[in-house]
Amino acid sequence: MRQELQSLPKTLAEDVAKNLVMVARLLDEDAPRAYEHAKVALRLASRVGAVREAAGFAAYHTQRYQEALAEFRAARRMSGRPDLWPVMADCERGMGRPERALAMAGEPEVQRLDKAGQVEMRLVAAGARRDLGQADAAVVTLQSPELASTGVHPWTARLRYAYADALLEVGREEDAREWFAKAVEADHEGLTDASDRLAELDGIEFTDALDPDAEEIGDAEDTADGEDVEDLGEEAEDSSAEGAVVGDADFTDEDDPAVADEDSQR
């Protein structure tokens, strides 16, 4: 990217670079802000492939799939690199055209992808199958040597997670549990919620102690419990009062030992 920016005047290159750095920093945390920085960089240097690519990812993360696809196509023409092919196919899915994504999965460009790119393409194709209601075909699509590999790679956790999720959709719960567990083993950076899905299958529920909503629910339960205790207390008092009334009706002063002693003293 730095090399591509060298084609620009120094001051302009620095301004573009600053905006691209902000895109990278904000993309996962605040995609709308990342998108705004990408638009600034695009306005300043639309003929730089790296800028078009960054703008594409910013649009993709804000679900502007048509805009993202246009930027990715431009970046691909400028750079000649094949690695944007899977995300371009996923943009087709985002626009409601899963059949086009599947067609792209069969194009020769896929053979030019590295291993990570081919796995990504497989994930997109499986997602397109599920979009089309072909859940069983999605399971088959994800079955690959990369899935069977015991090694852990940057894409391993996501591939195992997608396979587990596809298995769950077709009703193979035990197999899904096994693959969610394998995804947890490979997910050292917490890229997926495989541990939560696994716990859900095991019937385990977690409460976030720092979640304000959970605290409000707890307070509501405490209040309800307090009201129940108070109601029980009131019922006990009422019962005592009723007992006293019944006793007074059948119990005379003559039967009271204290009154009898008082009378004898008199």
Side-chain angles (χ1 to χ4, degrees):
M1 188 178 290
R2 187 190 301 272
Q3 186 175 359
E4 289 188 43
L5 293 178
Q6 288 179 356
S7 63
L8 302 175
K10 184 177 180 180
T11 303
L12 179 59
E14 290 178 353
D15 290 341
V16 174
K18 289 177 181 178
N19 280 284
L20 293 180
V21 167
M22 293 306 297
V23 172
R25 288 182 177 177
L26 296 170
L27 199 58
D28 293 329
E29 299 176 2
D30 191 345
R33 284 184 61 199
Y35 177 77
E36 294 302 323
H37 283 283
K39 296 297 285 185
V40 173
L42 188 62
R43 187 173 67 250
L44 295 174
S46 61
R47 296 185 179 182
V48 177
V51 172
R52 303 301 290 266
E53 182 176 338
F57 277 109
Y60 176 81
H61 278 261
T62 54
Q63 300 182 2
R64 295 174 169 88
Y65 297 115
Q66 185 172 359
E67 182 179 338
L69 182 58
E71 297 299 339
F72 287 141
R73 284 173 174 167
R76 185 168 171 271
R77 285 195 302 270
M78 293 176 181
S79 66
R81 302 197 326 267
D83 52 299
L84 292 174
W85 195 253
V87 71
M88 290 169 61
D90 206 36
C91 286
E92 295 286 4
R93 283 187 62 211
M95 289 187 289
R97 301 189 298 220
E99 66 285 349
R100 293 195 183 184
L102 285 175
M104 291 178 68
E107 293 290 336
E109 281 82 354
V110 177
Q111 303 306 317
R112 297 177 56 201
L113 296 170
D114 60 11
K115 184 64 67 178
Q118 290 179 5
V119 170
E120 195 66 36
M121 192 71 245
R122 191 176 293 276
L123 290 170
V124 173
R129 291 291 186 189
R130 294 179 69 172
D131 293 343
L132 292 169
Q134 302 170 3
D136 290 312
V139 172
V140 175
T141 300
L142 293 169
Q143 293 171 347
S144 62
E146 293 81 13
L147 181 66
S149 174
T150 57
V152 176
H153 305 277
W155 38 261
T156 301
R158 293 179 58 241
L159 180 59
R160 292 178 179 179
Y161 180 94
Y163 187 57
D165 197 40
L167 288 169
L168 192 61
E169 186 173 358
V170 297
R172 295 169 58 181
E173 186 171 317
E174 286 301 320
D175 292 334
R177 189 199 177 285
E178 177 186 351
W179 282 97
F180 276 129
K182 290 182 178 181
V184 171
E185 292 175 1
D187 195 0
H188 304 305
E189 298 183 3
L191 299 176
T192 71
D193 64 344
S195 59
D196 293 338
R197 300 291 299 277
L198 182 61
E200 183 180 349
L201 287 175
D202 290 339
I204 301 173
E205 295 184 3
F206 296 98
T207 301
D208 187 354
L210 300 179
D211 186 356
D213 295 335
E215 185 176 348
E216 290 177 3
I217 293 173
D219 291 342
E221 290 177 350
D222 292 342
T223 301
D225 292 341
E227 290 175 352
D228 291 343
V229 171
E230 184 178 350
D231 291 343
L232 288 174
E234 291 177 355
E235 290 178 2
E237 291 176 0
D238 293 342
S239 298
S240 299
E242 290 176 1
V245 171
V246 172
D248 287 347
D250 300 328
F251 198 85
T252 64
D253 288 347
E254 294 178 356
D255 296 325
D256 189 343
V259 174
D261 291 343
E262 185 178 350
D263 292 342
S264 63
Q265 289 177 2
R266 287 178 182 174

